[in-house]
Amino acid sequence: MSRMSFNNFSLICSNCEKEHDINILPPRCSSCNEPLEVRIKKIDVDRNIFKGREFSMWRYSEFIFTRKMISLFEGGTPLLKANRLSEYSGLKNIYLKNETVNPTGSFKDRGTAVGLNFALQKNNKLIGTLSTGNMAKSVAAYAAKAGVKAIVFVKDTISSEKINLISMFGQEIHRVKEDYGKLYFKIMDDYKDVFFINSDYPARIEGQKTIAYEICEQLNWDVPEYIVIPVSSGGNFSAIYKGFKEFFEAGFISTIPELIGVQAEGCSPIYKAYIQGKPQIEEFSKPHTIAHAIENPYPPSGNRVLKIVKENYGKIVAVNDEEIIFSQKLLSLKEGIFAQPASAAALGALLKLKDKRFFEKNDKIVLIITGMNQ
């Protein structure tokens, strides 16, 4: 079957289920201010439709509501069997979804591609984002490819090396001191002429959900028991769950894996709400962690993550900086991947849960390696 009609998609609040105009694609619900998500009204394709297509995220065009106008060949990342980590841990089936090989080195490229293509369809020539680094670099690179202008807001504590990388793409950079969690909302109010492709923007989620699609195919539709995901804003966690859920509802897979979200102890608002049994997050005071990519004191999709964890019977884990540093080195030594600390947090959580005998030794476990160390 050919690509689904744009009319086959709707835009619904992830919390109160209010419908919004998908042609405008606002970032938040007008009633409860929670994240919106694109939903497919009807799925009537067979999973064999993907055979023979190039292995990029655009092979799933029937499930993505935008047209591909600009691409840097994002997605199509390897799922690696981590044999040496399996030998080290005693868990036989550890896999690494290596998002470091995306065009700018992280999973962010998937979401940026869909967000930018939607912006171009709506003739928006000024895009922007708020980022700890990876998303800023991604948006700047894709804007350069498309020949449009980007404004990126980054924390004033970002390293000069990351600033230099972002500046190579010739876009406008603002270093800001304000509270990172609250700034997410403030910049959208202050810069209304900018099309923001922020961490949990609906179009970004649509790109990042393809991580789940690829895992299904790469494991020959035999999905793992567990997916371990570093969590900052909550957008990627939400996206990966959405991807598995859509393929489950399409009849492509027989079950949905249990998702394990990982936060750094030094900035863990979602974990704190989870262990306290609360349905909503609270701002995390005085955040401090080496894993800057998951250092968000007030994650905009935090409440959505808590809702998904309850629905999915999932889990949220926190790891300290010592566990993160150890895992970063272990990932390098055992599997040859030098990932950023936030990525290594996933391995830290696996080792922590293994020590608590959470896993069976034959469980199939996929760690999402979100980005390279830079």
Side-chain angles (χ1 to χ4, degrees):
M1 181 180 175
S2 62
R3 190 190 187 285
M4 289 182 182
S5 166
F6 188 76
N7 295 328
N8 195 45
F9 298 88
S10 59
L11 186 66
I12 307 294
C13 176
S14 62
N15 177 54
C16 72
E17 297 290 317
K18 179 178 179 179
E19 185 166 2
H20 294 69
D21 188 350
I22 194 169
N23 290 287
I24 299 174
L25 208 71
R28 313 289 291 190
C29 178
S30 59
S31 293
C32 68
N33 202 36
E34 285 295 307
L36 301 177
E37 63 181 34
V38 177
R39 294 188 187 169
I40 303 171
K41 295 178 182 178
K42 183 180 180 182
I43 302 172
D44 57 356
V45 295
D46 185 272
R47 71 188 190 189
N48 292 321
I49 195 173
F50 309 127
K51 289 183 177 180
R53 296 180 179 179
E54 69 173 20
F55 195 60
S56 80
M57 72 174 207
W58 295 101
R59 71 192 275 108
Y60 308 107
S61 59
E62 288 80 7
F63 290 79
I64 301 174
F65 76 108
T66 54
R67 300 193 309 272
K68 183 177 78 168
M69 301 168 66
I70 294 293
S71 174
L72 290 173
F73 205 87
E74 51 285 331
T77 60
L79 182 68
L80 306 172
K81 184 73 161 62
N83 293 319
R84 297 193 69 210
L85 280 178
S86 291
E87 182 181 356
Y88 173 87
S89 66
L91 300 170
K92 292 185 176 181
N93 296 300
I94 300 174
Y95 292 82
L96 308 175
K97 183 59 171 165
N98 188 10
E99 291 295 292
T100 71
V101 300
N102 274 298
T104 73
S106 83
F107 74 94
K108 297 292 188 181
D109 292 336
R110 296 176 184 262
T112 299
V114 174
L116 176 63
N117 279 293
F118 179 79
L120 294 175
Q121 285 179 236
K122 296 300 175 181
N123 203 34
N124 288 289
K125 301 297 184 183
L126 179 60
I127 64 173
T129 196
L130 169 69
S131 171
T132 57
N134 286 335
M135 194 157 55
K137 183 175 60 168
S138 179
V139 168
Y142 277 78
K145 174 66 174 176
V148 300
K149 181 181 178 181
I151 301 176
V152 296
F153 295 83
V154 297
K155 295 174 70 173
D156 64 332
T157 55
I158 192 173
S159 69
S160 58
E161 289 82 6
K162 280 194 174 182
I163 286 290
N164 290 338
L165 281 171
I166 298 165
S167 65
M168 291 297 292
F169 301 105
Q171 307 299 335
E172 187 176 327
I173 303 172
H174 294 262
R175 300 180 76 160
V176 291
K177 294 183 179 180
E178 290 97 330
D179 180 282
Y180 183 73
K182 293 178 180 177
L183 196 61
Y184 169 96
F185 299 98
K186 184 176 185 296
I187 61 170
M188 288 190 290
D189 289 334
D190 292 349
Y191 294 83
K192 293 187 182 298
D193 59 330
V194 178
F195 184 89
F196 281 100
I197 312 173
N198 282 333
S199 56
D200 65 346
Y201 185 62
R204 181 170 289 284
I205 301 303
E206 292 306 286
Q208 290 163 196
K209 71 181 182 181
T210 59
I211 294 172
Y213 294 171
E214 290 175 12
I215 291 171
C216 292
E217 277 204 278
Q218 287 168 318
L219 291 175
N220 197 28
W221 308 104
D222 182 19
V223 298
E225 279 77 20
Y226 300 99
I227 307 288
V228 188
I229 310 165
V231 177
S232 178
S233 72
N236 202 37
F237 186 95
S238 305
I240 291 171
Y241 179 66
K242 187 175 190 290
F244 281 116
K245 188 174 181 180
E246 286 177 351
F247 269 18
F248 175 76
E249 291 173 347
F252 295 177
I253 56 176
S254 60
T255 188
I256 298 174
E258 183 176 326
L259 270 57
I260 300 172
V262 188
Q263 295 210 284
E265 281 187 4
C267 187
S268 50
I270 301 174
Y271 171 74
K272 185 177 179 181
Y274 168 75
I275 61 172
Q276 293 176 348
K278 295 180 178 180
Q280 295 185 324
I281 62 165
E282 297 176 358
E283 185 173 7
F284 194 90
S285 62
K286 299 179 180 180
H288 181 74
T289 175
I290 191 174
H292 300 302
I294 53 173
E295 191 178 17
N296 191 326
Y298 195 57
S301 274
N303 296 336
R304 174 163 56 173
V305 168
L306 292 171
K307 183 178 179 181
I308 289 171
V309 167
K310 185 176 181 179
E311 178 180 321
N312 177 243
Y313 300 99
K315 194 175 188 67
I316 303 293
V317 178
V319 291
N320 61 41
D321 280 2
E322 289 73 20
E323 291 168 319
I324 290 171
I325 293 169
F326 175 82
S327 297
Q328 184 185 36
K329 185 175 182 180
L330 188 66
L331 189 60
S332 301
L333 291 173
K334 296 295 185 183
E335 299 297 337
I337 298 175
F338 186 35
Q340 63 184 7
S343 298
L347 177 56
L350 178 140
L351 295 175
K352 175 174 277 192
L353 291 173
K354 186 266 298 186
D355 288 344
K356 295 180 179 180
R357 301 184 184 278
F358 178 79
F359 301 113
E360 300 291 334
K361 68 177 182 178
N362 290 321
D363 283 342
K364 195 179 298 179
I365 308 161
V366 175
L367 309 183
I368 309 298
I369 309 302
T370 48
M372 68 171 63
N373 194 65
Q374 297 172 335

